[in-house]
Amino acid sequence: MNQTPPTETSADDLQTAGDAAPPSGGPAADSRWLHRLSLLSVLLVWPLIWVGGLVTTYDAGMAVPDWPGTYGYNLFLYPLSTWLYGPFDLFIEHGHRLLGAVVGLVAIGMVVAAVVERSRRWVRWLTVGILLAVISQGVLGGIRVLLGDRTFAMIHGCFGPLVFALCCIAAVVTSRTWWQRRRAVSATPKPLANWVVVVAVLPVLLSYLQLVLGAQLRHVQPATTPRTFTLIVAVHIVTACVLWLLTPILFVLVRRCGDLTLSRPAGWLILFVGTQILLGTGSWIVNYGWPSVLDFLPFGEGFLVRSKGFLDSIIVTAHVAVGSLILATSAVVLVQTLRQKYLVAHESN
Amino acid sequence: MRRARFLLPIFALAAFCGCDVPVEQYPANQLHALVVATSRHVPTEVAAQDSAAVVEAWFGTPIRPRWPVDQMSGAAAKQLVDPDHLMRAAGRVYSDQQNRHFGLFNEHCVTCHGVAGGGDGPASLLQNPYPRDFRAGVFKWKSTHRSSKPTRHDLTTILQHGVPGTGMPSFASLSTEDLQALVDYVIYLSVRGEFERGLISQAVDTLGYEIERPDPEASLTTLLDPTGDSPAESSDAMQVARQLLDQICGEWVDATAEVIEVPAETPDDAESVRRGRELFHGQIANCVGCHGPGGNAEVATLDYDDWTKEFTTRLAITPSDREAVKPFRQAGALRPRQIHPRKLSDGVYRGGGDGDTLYRRIVGGIAGTPMPSQIIAQQATATGLSQAQVWDLVHYLHSLSGVHSLSEDQVEQ
């Protein structure tokens, strides 16, 4: 099953080893459906993260007590009217499950497209990895419901952004621009230094650390001590600042190579992290009130926290969703940096 | 077994992150035990241990809370809270197809107020002011006299309106049933917490607990096994415990009779505002002493709330003395933090800013804080205010925050 015919293996190896040399017709044309499905997965998973974030914001994770069904019904056969006109908690929890199922179908489609279109071997494995990740994410959500365990809700929340990042990587590596980089590399005024890769790895690690820390705060256990909670908050804030300082450095470094496919996402990263810091501050304010450190601002006095207000919930959920966006963008920058390094090495050889 | 192996990394990760083990017991009030030990110079470990056991036997656990009607003598006390509401507010968070939410306290309150309502939840240290510790039975925002308990209406109002300028949210979006369940649970936690505190104190002061248990007649352990040989029903320990519970519940039952009456409002005119201004800056009310000229809060003060004073100044410990405070912090106290008088010129009143509420605030003061109550007389005296003078103060306060139609300049003229 796993063995590949000798002729195909050699073709694969050629493609894998020499990503810079597309076969006739170009993989971009050959992987058209895989690329389209990858884009679709990106467009579905980010809203899925939003809806999942809303589920946690509204404490609706246990609005449906069973899994994989919904109140005894098959997931897809739950009455539409009860879903749409029932309680809001049920609406978003069941909607989250339905959207997750659609993502699962798209992930299956990606694997099929990768095999049918004879994509590069590692891309095929990437699609298989995405499918497994989507299935695992669904199972984690199911375990969270069946055990009624908030820790699994936290793990479920931490794993979702990884799935999103993988989908984004799939969309990038199957795109036309992935192959058109050759021309850009030929005109590169200055190749990237090795340590730029290290600088590109750091945002990925730090943004994921931030996601884990944020999940710890969001799914905090009642028995967590105030000191532990305070420590997590402090590390979360410091790491956010470090990450934001790192992003302009990364932007300047990758911009030197003159490749827009690399410098553009690095530029977005600065914007995303800056926005995320504002959203994080907003999330704290709408959850715990106006912080003393912002007392110097005139409009904070008398701020009233509103439990589960609509705008407040959107701010908190946006903080979760933009966190995933930062991780995915960091991962894309890293992948593009590695690609750039690889192509330069290939050209010089 | 092999099939389950794929779950191992997940469980390992869960163990690393800290499993969501349901909190099966309310944390014991170690802080109060230490306060009693320090103030009486008596070890309180055994007293605290036995008290916690009795409290659990009578009041249940966070998963199965119970209202100890079998230990109460008053009919009104028995109906003070609805046991069904306790079950709705306690336990894990979930909801049903009818949108009935369960585990309401865990959903909305526990992150700040803590499992036992000790004001020591995970996020408490980062709040200013700290979340309320229900266990002392002292509440700031109420319509009753300073030393009285709040009414159910007071607690419901706070839940609905929130406390502006603090981390206490408005739960206006919750249904009446959910709010009443939370009110019941807050009363339950407060009675439970005050009973535990009282029992530790009584165990040392009345029952003779020291490094060891007293004789069986006075031992709290007899309350845990009423079917044993010990005459539990008539024991000293039982009498002390029941008397204490009746006293605490009685205060809650009597709260509605303790509401401060508000007389008809006097005319809210420039003359009233002028008189209020004089009273504010005068010797009798002397509001200016803390709130500053015109309520600008620009007065240097050094004071703490009663929850902090309990383990510091009342034990002759300086709140800023870190070493001396350290054992109390290890026992669960939050870092001592100064309390500052409110700035009155910005129109933010945490407990409500309408005329009746401000009238009651001036008369009753704010329990647990340095804001004192006032002696109200029919006629103004050298030491007390009349009802009309209190209204003058209310009108002046409203004028400070722009509620009144007259500006400060007009009042000056």
Side-chain angles (χ1 to χ4, degrees):
Chain A
M1 193 71 180
N2 290 332
Q3 288 178 351
T4 316
T7 49
E8 193 182 333
T9 305
S10 54
D12 275 335
D13 288 344
L14 184 69
Q15 287 183 26
T16 308
D19 263 354
S24 64
D30 289 348
S31 300
R32 192 177 297 152
W33 275 103
L34 176 57
H35 180 60
R36 285 172 181 169
L37 285 170
S38 301
L39 281 180
L40 182 61
S41 72
V42 171
L43 293 176
L44 287 174
V45 173
W46 204 50
L48 184 60
I49 287 173
W50 271 89
V51 180
L54 271 180
V55 167
T56 301
T57 305
Y58 280 93
D59 282 301
M62 293 303 292
V64 180
D66 51 347
W67 183 86
T70 296
Y71 280 104
Y73 286 91
N74 178 289
L75 176 66
F76 299 103
L77 300 179
Y78 188 72
L80 198 64
S81 58
T82 317
W83 173 46
L84 294 178
Y85 301 113
F88 182 69
D89 290 4
L90 174 62
F91 173 73
I92 53 175
E93 169 60 12
H94 184 62
H96 184 53
R97 293 178 179 199
L98 282 176
L99 193 52
V102 172
V103 169
L105 294 175
V106 172
I108 293 170
M110 285 169 69
V111 175
V112 172
V115 173
V116 170
E117 294 177 337
R118 301 177 67 183
S119 299
R120 292 149 286 168
R121 181 184 288 168
W122 68 271
V123 173
R124 266 186 264 163
W125 280 114
L126 177 64
T127 58
V128 171
I130 288 171
L131 177 60
L132 289 176
V134 170
I135 292 169
S136 305
Q137 178 69 343
V139 171
L140 277 172
I143 293 173
R144 181 268 183 274
V145 169
L146 295 178
L147 299 182
D149 194 315
R150 289 168 79 103
T151 303
F152 278 98
M154 187 177 68
I155 297 169
H156 181 62
C158 291
F159 198 66
L162 288 178
V163 178
F164 180 57
L166 287 175
C167 291
C168 288
I169 290 171
V172 166
V173 302
T174 55
S175 69
R176 193 179 296 274
T177 52
W178 182 262
W179 297 100
Q180 289 174 342
R181 294 281 292 282
R182 271 184 80 204
R183 285 170 230 152
V185 167
S186 312
T188 296
K190 200 171 180 181
L192 295 173
N194 284 334
W195 57 274
V196 176
V197 178
V198 177
V199 178
V201 167
L202 281 175
V204 179
L205 297 177
L206 291 180
S207 57
Y208 195 68
L209 173 67
Q210 285 293 78
L211 282 164
V212 173
L213 292 171
Q216 293 269 355
L217 298 177
R218 206 159 141 76
H219 300 274
V220 62
Q221 307 286 348
T224 303
T225 65
R227 286 184 187 190
T228 305
F229 187 88
T230 306
L231 180 67
I232 295 172
V233 170
V235 175
H236 196 49
I237 292 171
V238 170
T239 312
C241 295
V242 171
L243 184 59
W244 202 30
L245 289 174
L246 195 64
T247 49
I249 296 172
L250 179 64
F251 175 71
V252 170
L253 290 175
V254 299
R255 198 163 177 263
R256 287 178 184 170
C257 72
D259 186 350
L260 282 177
T261 54
L262 191 51
S263 56
R264 269 186 190 150
W268 296 338
L269 207 50
I270 302 172
L271 179 68
F272 291 160
V273 178
T275 307
Q276 181 72 336
I277 289 173
L278 287 177
L279 285 171
T281 309
S283 297
W284 182 269
I285 290 170
V286 299
N287 270 315
Y288 299 110
W290 200 260
S292 302
V293 291
L294 297 181
D295 275 348
F296 65 93
L297 293 172
F299 41 83
E301 186 68 32
F303 179 83
L304 178 64
V305 180
R306 294 176 196 280
S307 174
K308 296 183 181 176
F310 179 72
L311 182 63
D312 312 319
S313 303
I314 294 299
I315 290 172
V316 175
T317 310
H319 187 51
V320 174
V322 173
S324 299
L325 199 58
I326 290 170
L327 175 70
T329 311
S330 306
V332 166
V333 171
L334 174 62
V335 169
Q336 296 279 33
T337 306
L338 292 172
R339 171 75 171 160
Q340 182 76 11
K341 290 283 300 171
Y342 174 83
L343 290 178
V344 169
H346 182 79
E347 287 289 311
S348 59
N349 289 336
Chain B
M1 193 62 190
R2 274 189 175 182
R3 285 179 185 175
R5 277 186 186 171
F6 78 97
L7 287 173
L8 284 177
I10 296 171
F11 285 113
L13 187 59
F16 174 74
C17 297
C19 266
D20 184 22
V21 179
V23 182
E24 292 180 350
Q25 287 182 313
Y26 289 108
N29 194 339
Q30 296 175 347
L31 175 61
H32 188 68
L34 185 59
V35 167
V36 172
T38 310
S39 60
R40 273 78 156 180
H41 305 289
V42 171
T44 54
E45 284 84 0
V46 182
Q49 183 186 331
D50 287 1
S51 298
V54 171
V55 171
E56 184 170 320
W58 285 21
F59 284 87
T61 65
I63 300 168
R64 289 195 176 279
R66 67 183 292 269
W67 188 239
V69 289
D70 46 340
Q71 308 295 345
M72 297 173 182
S73 57
K78 290 178 181 177
Q79 295 172 355
L80 188 60
V81 303
D82 182 344
D84 290 340
H85 280 172
L86 297 187
M87 289 307 293
R88 283 229 25 217
R92 69 186 180 92
V93 180
Y94 68 99
S95 58
D96 61 16
Q97 267 179 306
Q98 284 72 47
N99 203 27
R100 278 162 46 93
H101 281 240
F102 297 83
L104 291 164
F105 190 78
N106 278 334
E107 182 178 348
H108 298 293
C109 317
V110 78
T111 306
C112 295
H113 289 287
V115 175
D120 54 357
S124 57
L125 204 53
L126 294 168
Q127 311 258 328
N128 190 7
Y130 290 134
R132 184 66 46 248
D133 178 355
F134 304 140
R135 300 173 303 181
V138 177
F139 291 80
K140 283 183 179 179
W141 313 121
K142 58 191 180 185
S143 58
T144 55
H145 288 283
R146 187 183 174 90
S147 58
S148 305
K149 295 285 187 280
T151 63
R152 289 185 69 87
H153 182 260
D154 291 333
L155 295 178
T156 308
T157 303
I158 283 296
L159 285 173
Q160 282 178 322
H161 295 180
V163 182
T166 75
M168 175 68 187
S170 155
F171 294 101
S173 59
L174 294 194
S175 68
T176 307
E177 191 186 354
D178 287 356
L179 287 174
Q180 289 311 307
L182 281 174
V183 167
D184 273 338
Y185 199 70
V186 168
I187 295 173
Y188 160 80
L189 285 179
S190 181
V191 171
R192 182 198 167 281
E194 206 175 350
F195 178 70
E196 184 184 18
R197 284 165 55 100
L199 208 55
I200 294 171
S201 302
Q202 293 279 9
V204 172
D205 297 339
T206 310
L207 299 176
Y209 266 80
E210 288 186 2
I211 199 161
E212 291 180 352
R213 287 188 181 87
D215 60 69
E217 177 75 5
S219 172
L220 290 170
T221 53
T222 58
L223 277 62
L224 302 172
D225 183 21
T227 56
D229 297 334
S230 309
E233 288 297 317
S234 59
S235 71
D236 292 345
M238 181 62 89
Q239 285 179 14
V240 164
R242 284 187 172 165
Q243 198 175 358
L244 179 64
L245 184 61
D246 282 341
Q247 180 204 325
I248 296 166
C249 290
E251 289 174 5
W252 279 97
V253 169
D254 294 341
T256 47
E258 294 291 316
V259 173
I260 298 170
E261 285 190 26
V262 181
E265 185 174 357
T266 56
D268 185 1
D269 51 24
E271 189 56 28
S272 174
V273 173
R274 187 193 60 75
R275 288 193 303 267
R277 187 175 189 280
E278 283 179 8
L279 286 164
F280 187 92
H281 296 88
Q283 289 298 313
I284 302 173
N286 194 26
C287 310
V288 69
C290 295
H291 292 286
N296 62 10
E298 291 177 2
V299 174
T301 57
L302 178 61
D303 215 335
Y304 298 85
D305 62 26
D306 287 1
W307 294 271
T308 302
K309 284 177 182 172
E310 189 178 22
F311 65 90
T312 54
T313 53
R314 287 178 193 160
L315 298 176
I317 291 172
T318 308
S320 56
D321 184 346
R322 287 190 173 196
E323 280 304 309
V325 168
K326 196 173 178 181
F328 297 93
R329 292 216 52 205
Q330 287 171 340
L334 299 175
R335 187 188 308 121
R337 188 190 277 156
Q338 279 189 52
I339 188 169
H340 298 287
R342 296 288 300 138
K343 185 180 179 183
L344 301 171
S345 53
D346 55 16
V348 177
Y349 300 104
R350 290 180 172 170
D354 62 283
D356 286 7
T357 301
L358 286 184
Y359 183 96
R360 291 191 173 110
R361 195 76 64 242
I362 293 167
V363 173
I366 301 176
T369 77
M371 169 82 181
S373 55
Q374 295 286 339
I375 301 166
I376 305 300
Q378 288 298 320
Q379 298 294 325
T381 66
T383 54
L385 299 170
S386 69
Q387 293 175 342
Q389 285 179 320
V390 176
W391 273 118
D392 289 340
L393 275 170
V394 171
H395 297 152
Y396 175 63
L397 289 177
H398 276 165
S399 76
L400 288 177
S401 55
V403 173
H404 194 275
S405 54
L406 297 172
S407 67
E408 273 281 276
D409 294 339
Q410 286 174 301
V411 175
E412 286 284 353
Q413 289 165 11

